[in-house]
């Protein structure tokens, strides 16, 4: 099933609970929480308490996208906070294989994110132990940036690797995902679509969620 995953980074900070409740009522299955540490990327966002909040409101799947250096230091914290999936950046650790193994050991889904400048070929070494590959379609750190079309080639390349191996790994895209880019991402092989600005800038977020979900599922 193709899913739109709302990114709380773009939701109004004054009432995050209401935003989560709105998208859940509209049918969201996956809530995307962007954790930035001021090191891997310049901004600092929020910590594991945001995961706890999203989970406490009944989100079926809460995923923590760790844009942090040394992600291995935070795995237990985010698992205990209720994350159903932890996504680490390939560029943030020299021990990717071990980190993914540890996430699986914690009993949750393991994801790897790659920046626009990182080749897909590196993932060949870990694809069998990776549940989700998150292809960054902008450079991480900020919402509201334009989609980088070149990244679609990488989505296609990863889809080919997954097919070759007969792996069950899902492909997720993150950054500049909107009405125009959703069909391109789905055609290239993505089934999880993170949306921040395209969703939360709308007047009626519930209607907008259903509209984006429909574009993703029906073109
Ligand atoms: C960016 C984050 C994204 C961000 C996407 O570094 O990883 O999840 O919220 O925002 P939009 O959809 O506005 O590009
Ligand atoms: Zn993200």
């Amino acid at each position: 099933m193709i899913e739109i995953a709302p990114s709380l980074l773009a939701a109004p900070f004054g009432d995050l609970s209401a935003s989560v409740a709105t998208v859940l009522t509209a049918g969201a299955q996956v809530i995307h929480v962007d954790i930035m540490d001021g090191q891997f990327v310049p901004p600092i966002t929020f910590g594991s308490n945001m995961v706890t909040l999203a989970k406490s409101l009944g989100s079926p799947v809460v995923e923590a996208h760790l844009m942090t250096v040394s992600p291995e230091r935070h795995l237990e914290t985010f698992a205990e906070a209720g994350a159903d999936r932890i996504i680490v950046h390939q560029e943030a650790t020299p021990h990717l294989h071990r980190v993914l193994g540890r996430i699986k050991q914690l009993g949750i889904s393991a994801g790897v994110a790659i920046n626009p400048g990182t080749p897909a070929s590196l993932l060949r070494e870990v694809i069998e132990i990776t549940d989700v590959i998150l292809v960054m379609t902008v450079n991480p750190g900020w919402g509201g940036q334009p989609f980088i079309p070149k990244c679609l080639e990488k989505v296609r390349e990863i889809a080919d690797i997954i097919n070759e191996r007969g792996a069950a790994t899902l492909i997720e895209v993150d950054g500049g995902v909107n009405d125009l880019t959703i069909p391109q991402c789905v055609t290239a092989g993505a089934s999880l679509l993170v949306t921040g600005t395209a969703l939360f800038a709308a007047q009626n977020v519930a209607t907008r969620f259903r509209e984006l979900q429909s574009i993703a599922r029906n073109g």
Side-chain angles (χ1 to χ4, degrees), residues 18-212:
S19 294
V20 174
T22 300
V23 294
L24 290 178
T25 306
Q29 298 295 307
V30 181
I31 299 293
H32 184 88
V33 183
D34 288 299
I35 310 295
M36 304 186 190
D37 68 349
Q39 300 278 326
F40 182 70
V41 288
I44 297 173
T45 54
F46 21 72
S48 61
N49 49 0
M50 196 58 73
V51 168
T52 305
L53 174 77
K55 202 61 198 168
S56 73
L57 294 166
S59 312
V61 174
V62 178
E63 57 182 21
H65 175 194
L66 300 189
M67 284 160 274
T68 71
V69 296
S70 309
E72 54 275 7
R73 293 174 56 204
H74 308 296
L75 306 179
E76 285 75 11
T77 305
F78 280 91
E80 280 162 24
D84 300 285
R85 169 156 51 247
I86 298 178
I87 302 168
V88 299
H89 267 265
Q90 186 278 333
E91 305 85 0
T93 175
H95 302 294
L96 185 60
H97 189 279
R98 172 151 57 80
V99 170
L100 291 168
R102 179 63 187 141
I103 298 172
K104 304 289 282 182
Q105 231 175 36
L106 290 166
I108 59 176
S109 168
V112 179
I114 53 170
N115 285 338
T118 301
S121 55
L122 292 172
L123 298 170
R124 287 182 179 276
E125 311 308 322
V126 293
I127 211 127
E128 280 86 359
I129 56 165
T130 304
D131 297 301
V132 171
I133 291 171
L134 185 150
V135 177
M136 289 303 306
T137 41
V138 298
N139 286 293
W142 300 271
Q145 304 179 78
F147 186 87
I148 302 171
K150 171 90 180 153
C151 298
L152 283 170
E153 288 170 26
K154 206 155 46 178
V155 174
R156 285 190 282 269
E157 199 182 329
I158 294 167
D160 287 345
I161 301 172
I162 292 169
N163 285 337
E164 260 169 42
R165 302 281 177 94
T169 317
L170 300 177
I171 302 177
E172 183 165 21
V173 285
D174 186 3
V177 175
N178 59 28
D179 313 50
L180 291 177
T181 54
I182 284 171
Q184 299 168 12
C185 292
V186 172
T187 304
S191 60
L192 291 166
L193 305 138
V194 178
T195 55
T197 309
L199 172 63
F200 288 105
Q203 284 270 322
N204 186 322
V205 172
T207 305
R208 183 65 173 145
F209 178 86
R210 285 189 282 262
E211 188 180 24
L212 292 171

